[in-house]
Amino acid sequence: MYRSRRFRPLSKYLFAVVLILTLVLGLWLAPVIAQTPAQASIVLDGRQLFQISNSGQYSALERANLINSQLKNAVKFDQPIQVKIEQRNQLPTILLNNRYLLTVTEQDPVLGSTANEQASIWSEQIQQALQQAQFERTTTYLRRTTLVAVGILLLTAILSWLLGWIKHHLLKEALQRLTPPTEGASDSGGIKALGFFFQLVLAIARIGLWVGVVLYITNLFPFTRQESYQITNILVTSFTSPIFTVGKNPYSITELVILIGLLFGLVIFAGTATNLLRSRLLNFAGINRSAQEAIAIITKYGLIFIGTLVILQLWGLDISSLAILASGLGVGIGFGLQDIAKNFGSGLVLVFERPIELGDFVEVGEYKGIVERMGARSTEIRTLDHVSIIVPNSRFLEKEVINWSHRNPISRIHLPVGVAYGSDPKAVQAALLSAAKKHSSVLETPSPLVLFNGLGDSSLNFELLVWTAEPNKQFLLKSDLYYNIYEVLQQQKIEIPFPQIDLHLRSGTLGLSPQLLDQFSNNGQHIHPTTNGDNQA
């Protein structure tokens, strides 16, 4: 089960690569293959010897098919190969074992060569290629090549395992060392992106390693070399042929992948530079944590914006031609991405105005917690139960937010206390102040204060007011103070009353209905209809 889970990411990447290749072959290679070429290749066992052109009523492809068929048949027979040249119709003609093979026309020679010179070169190439093909079909060559292929497969398996080990162990350990110990740090996102990038590179490297080895091994054997040549040609053509044009510049898949890689690398570089700026310069400059975060966010997105413009310019893209795309993107943001745009704009307002800062204890609706991270779209709040709440930035500007730590973290806490009637108010005041002074988190300045709020229904109502510099611990502080208050009141013999209700009963005439009188008569009881409830006969 563990190994199956371990190979799931690799299968996902392999499926993605196969899907991309299928789309490439179906959409972009079909028109190219359907075209009739002006030249065709003479191929033997997957090796291209030379190219020929059209000749009269025969196209280059038809000539090449006939020649390739004769060469393939000649290799099947274990007999000496003889290639010679004769002049026929004032044109050099190549004969294979005294059989017609090829006539070199005026369109066939390369620039600067004559037909006779070209025929001499081609005949020598054909002679060497046929001898090499016969040798590669011998038992000695096949046995030796099989051993080489097995060795290459074993070496590839070791390298693939090594890449997997680096991905699952060495890379994971390196990322853990780079991850800051503080949870919710703002630079953890850049480290995760860097880890994902290296995992993707290692996965692609493993897939590319196996594909390259398979193509290399199939190229060693003459029986599979033609298929290897075709697949390699398809892959090279699909990744190097232009697929779209921007302005006057055509771009291929390889160039597009390089562009995406540069942009992704720019994002990682901006995050790394921002982290270095925060940890190396801003910390030593004595700037508070919130100002550091604001400077870091502005620097990061500034580097990404400027770097993107520079990369696109160096890539040959005219930035002014992207105005239409930008306007269309603006319309899309206005309709479909308005919430994201609103939260992003709210994040910029929070960065510049700083109504909340990192480390502040805030209350947003029913949530109370410490601000751990401020992003471009959302803010992370860690509650007192250590639960992370992701709050959209726009909520901090649309509704009231209680910030207990804004500018001055010192806050006052109210503790209502009720005592029984008959208690001495001065003694109660002294007892409450004594309970407050016992706690170390209660500030001496401003000093605690006791208010006599009034006469309640069943108690004398007091209120203890204390100041603390740790508002995020106010709930624990309240609990400790109530423990102290209860202990002090017990020591001072000051009673904490129960809720009291006075019930007054009036005597009078009790009127009973005839049905009720009949019920009591049946039970053997006699009640006078005018007597009260205390007189029964």
Side-chain angles (χ1 to χ4, degrees):
M1 178 67 68
Y2 173 76
R3 293 182 65 86
S4 63
R5 293 180 179 176
R6 185 176 179 182
F7 286 103
R8 283 179 183 174
L10 182 60
S11 62
K12 292 180 180 178
Y13 295 137
L14 181 59
F15 175 76
V17 172
V18 172
L19 181 61
I20 292 174
L21 292 179
T22 303
L23 293 176
V24 169
L25 296 177
L27 296 178
W28 294 304
L29 290 182
V32 177
I33 296 175
Q35 295 176 359
T36 302
Q39 288 186 330
S41 299
I42 303 300
V43 180
L44 179 61
D45 290 342
R47 291 194 179 99
Q48 180 178 338
L49 304 181
F50 50 85
Q51 288 186 330
I52 59 176
S53 304
N54 298 327
S55 177
Q57 60 181 353
Y58 296 100
S59 64
L61 185 59
E62 292 174 343
R63 296 178 66 196
N65 290 334
L66 293 174
I67 298 172
N68 291 334
S69 177
Q70 287 184 283
L71 295 178
K72 187 181 299 184
N73 292 330
V75 174
K76 294 180 180 179
F77 301 102
D78 188 11
Q79 60 182 3
I81 301 297
Q82 182 181 6
V83 181
K84 61 181 181 179
I85 302 174
E86 290 185 357
Q87 293 292 329
R88 296 183 179 181
N89 299 327
Q90 299 180 352
L91 290 175
T93 301
I94 301 177
L95 302 179
L96 174 60
N97 292 336
N98 296 323
R99 296 181 60 185
Y100 174 82
L101 179 66
L102 168 65
T103 298
V104 181
T105 64
E106 298 296 335
Q107 291 78 18
D108 291 327
V110 297
L111 186 63
S113 299
T114 63
N116 291 324
E117 293 174 347
Q118 192 66 65
S120 176
I121 296 174
W122 284 356
S123 62
E124 184 176 355
Q125 291 179 349
I126 293 172
Q127 180 79 32
Q128 294 177 356
L130 290 173
Q131 292 175 354
Q132 179 69 21
Q134 286 182 338
F135 170 74
E136 290 177 351
R137 284 165 171 77
T138 60
T139 306
T140 303
Y141 175 83
L142 293 176
R143 185 185 300 113
R144 185 183 63 185
T145 306
T146 302
L147 294 176
V148 172
V150 172
I152 293 176
L153 287 176
L154 292 176
L155 181 60
T156 304
I158 295 174
L159 291 177
S160 179
W161 175 86
L162 181 61
L163 290 175
W165 183 84
I166 293 175
K167 176 183 176 182
H168 292 94
H169 295 85
L170 189 60
L171 180 61
K172 184 178 180 180
E173 182 180 354
L175 292 176
Q176 288 178 351
R177 292 184 178 181
L178 292 175
T179 303
T182 304
E183 294 184 1
S186 58
D187 52 356
S188 60
I191 295 177
K192 291 181 180 179
L194 183 62
F196 172 76
F197 174 75
F198 281 114
Q199 288 182 358
L200 182 62
V201 169
L202 289 175
I204 294 176
R206 295 176 71 180
I207 296 174
L209 176 65
W210 281 107
V211 172
V213 167
V214 170
L215 292 177
Y216 178 77
I217 291 177
T218 54
N219 190 59
L220 294 176
F221 295 93
F223 313 106
T224 57
R225 188 177 295 125
Q226 180 66 28
E227 288 74 16
S228 175
Y229 170 77
Q230 291 177 353
I231 295 175
T232 303
N233 187 35
I234 289 175
L235 291 177
V236 172
T237 305
S238 62
F239 283 101
T240 57
S241 299
I243 57 175
F244 65 93
T245 302
V246 178
K248 298 181 180 179
N249 300 321
Y251 295 95
S252 62
I253 293 181
T254 303
E255 294 172 334
L256 185 61
V257 169
I258 294 175
L259 177 60
I260 295 175
L262 289 176
L263 294 177
F264 193 80
L266 173 63
V267 174
I268 296 178
F269 169 76
T272 305
T274 302
N275 295 335
L276 291 177
L277 175 66
R278 184 191 297 110
S279 60
R280 302 296 181 183
L281 296 179
L282 300 181
N283 282 339
F284 293 101
I287 303 176
N288 59 40
R289 188 180 176 187
S290 178
Q292 292 180 18
E293 192 67 20
I295 296 174
I297 291 176
I298 295 173
T299 303
K300 179 179 179 179
Y301 288 103
L303 289 175
I304 292 176
F305 178 75
I306 297 175
T308 302
L309 294 180
V310 172
I311 290 176
L312 293 179
Q313 288 281 12
L314 294 177
W315 206 251
L317 293 177
D318 188 6
I319 303 301
S320 60
S321 63
L322 301 179
I324 299 177
L325 178 61
S327 61
L329 183 62
V331 175
I333 291 176
F335 288 97
L337 305 177
Q338 54 182 348
D339 290 337
I340 297 178
K342 179 175 66 175
N343 291 324
F344 184 80
S346 300
L348 295 179
V349 174
L350 293 178
V351 168
F352 287 102
E353 291 189 357
R354 291 190 294 174
I356 60 172
E357 302 177 3
L358 293 177
D360 286 355
F361 183 71
V362 298
E363 182 175 349
V364 185
E366 68 273 18
Y367 303 117
K368 297 179 182 179
I370 300 175
V371 179
E372 292 288 340
R373 182 188 62 84
M374 296 179 63
R377 189 194 63 84
S378 61
T379 298
E380 178 183 350
I381 296 178
R382 180 65 60 88
T383 65
L384 299 179
D385 297 328
H386 287 268
V387 177
S388 296
I389 306 296
I390 309 300
V391 182
N393 289 331
S394 59
R395 188 169 179 180
F396 292 96
L397 302 181
E398 294 175 350
K399 297 183 179 180
E400 294 79 6
V401 177
I402 300 176
N403 190 347
W404 293 81
S405 307
H406 187 56
R407 296 185 180 179
N408 187 4
I410 298 177
S411 305
R412 189 166 68 176
I413 300 176
H414 299 246
L415 294 93
V417 179
V419 298
Y421 274 92
S423 302
D424 183 6
K426 295 296 184 181
V428 174
Q429 180 184 22
L432 295 179
L433 292 177
S434 174
K437 292 179 181 179
K438 286 184 178 181
H439 204 286
S440 59
S441 297
V442 175
L443 299 179
E444 297 181 358
T445 304
S447 60
L449 179 64
V450 176
L451 300 179
F452 193 167
N453 286 340
L455 307 175
D457 294 335
S458 58
S459 64
L460 301 177
N461 296 329
F462 293 85
E463 187 174 18
L464 175 62
L465 306 179
V466 297
W467 296 86
T468 179
E470 298 176 318
N472 58 316
K473 298 181 180 179
Q474 56 179 290
F475 302 101
L476 296 177
L477 177 59
K478 282 185 178 181
S479 177
D480 294 342
L481 287 178
Y482 274 122
Y483 277 117
N484 294 343
I485 290 171
Y486 184 81
E487 181 182 357
V488 172
L489 293 181
Q490 290 291 326
Q491 293 175 358
Q492 298 294 331
K493 307 297 183 181
I494 299 175
E495 182 182 356
I496 301 175
F498 294 100
Q500 299 177 5
I501 299 177
D502 294 335
L503 180 62
H504 297 275
L505 298 178
R506 296 178 59 187
S507 300
T509 301
L510 179 62
L512 299 177
S513 63
Q515 292 82 1
L516 187 59
L517 290 174
D518 293 339
Q519 182 178 359
F520 280 102
S521 298
N522 295 332
N523 293 332
Q525 299 178 353
H526 302 281
I527 300 177
H528 194 278
T530 60
T531 186
N532 57 25
D534 296 331
N535 298 324
Q536 294 184 1

